[in-house]
Amino acid sequence: MSLPKFIVGMLFALAIVVAWSWLGGASLGTTLMRIIICAVVIQAGYFAVVYAMIASSAPTPADRLREAERKQNSPEVPKGEKLGSARRGLH
């Protein structure tokens, strides 16, 4: 969901909370508290959904290239390789 659609939806939801509070005869303080709680819950949900979308997305070609470069420049020792005196000094 794009940010503009999210903002419009959030404002619509908050307007419903205001109408519900007004029709229910709630005080101004209660109405403000309901609006704040509703806004926080909506924001947390939006954050969680966006995080889940990013976490579950497949790596792009640029991500794969970066990972390959990291492995190439890594000081890791391949399995079975013995460290020479020059490599021992790095640790």
Side-chain angles (χ1 to χ4, degrees):
M1 177 185 299
S2 67
L3 184 61
K5 286 181 182 179
F6 167 73
I7 291 173
V8 169
M10 187 171 104
L11 291 175
F12 186 71
L14 293 177
I16 291 172
V17 170
V18 169
W20 162 57
S21 295
W22 182 71
L23 291 173
S27 68
L28 181 60
T30 302
T31 302
L32 286 175
M33 188 57 65
R34 288 176 181 173
I35 290 171
I36 291 169
I37 291 170
C38 183
V40 168
V41 169
I42 291 171
Q43 286 286 342
Y46 184 73
F47 175 79
V49 167
V50 169
Y51 182 79
M53 288 171 58
I54 291 170
S56 67
S57 66
T60 63
D63 293 333
R64 285 188 224 113
L65 180 61
R66 254 186 253 113
E67 187 62 30
E69 287 175 356
R70 280 190 198 120
K71 286 181 182 176
Q72 185 179 20
N73 297 331
S74 169
E76 292 179 13
V77 178
K79 195 172 191 177
E81 179 183 327
K82 293 186 178 182
L83 293 178
S85 60
R87 294 279 302 241
R88 270 189 231 134
L90 295 175
H91 298 285

